Amino acid sequence: MAEIVKTLTLNGVTVRRGERQLLDQVSFAADPGEVLAIMGASGSGKTTMLRAISGLEPLASGSIDVNGVRLAAGPLPRGAHLRDLHRQVGIVF
């Protein structure tokens, strides 16, 4: 039996701005075709998480995989890596 590949995986994602921690060890995975709802109070980190998935927020720790495109802790992706990510992810504010 073939293994199901996750479309989106967050593994221990932490995002900080200076000393302020915006996300703390967020982990989840979504199967192909699965629909997820991200819910929470204002200021709870929903938009920050979506920005991180889109490559717009650097990760302090953890990783994000989007259809084989991997983001890791460190500087924001650039060039071909960012283009590959943006072929998989779109965000409308």
Side-chain angles (χ1 to χ4, degrees):
M1 187 159 96
E3 180 182 337
I4 295 176
V5 177
K6 301 294 185 187
T7 299
L8 172 65
T9 303
L10 277 73
N11 187 17
V13 172
T14 299
V15 174
R16 290 189 182 96
R17 283 197 195 126
E19 295 298 314
R20 187 170 177 212
Q21 187 160 291
L22 303 176
L23 296 177
D24 183 19
Q25 299 291 311
V26 175
S27 298
F28 70 86
D31 293 324
E34 184 175 7
V35 176
L36 298 175
I38 301 168
M39 299 169 53
S42 180
S44 64
K46 301 176 301 290
T47 300
T48 299
M49 181 175 54
L50 293 172
R51 288 178 51 84
I53 293 168
S54 300
L56 301 173
E57 290 282 347
L59 307 181
S61 66
S63 64
I64 299 172
D65 289 288
V66 181
N67 281 334
V69 179
R70 184 176 179 87
L71 301 174
L76 292 172
R78 301 231 181 261
H81 193 72
L82 186 60
R83 283 190 299 278
D84 290 344
L85 177 65
H86 286 169
R87 285 187 188 102
Q88 303 294 325
V89 175
I91 188 169
V92 177
F93 294 96

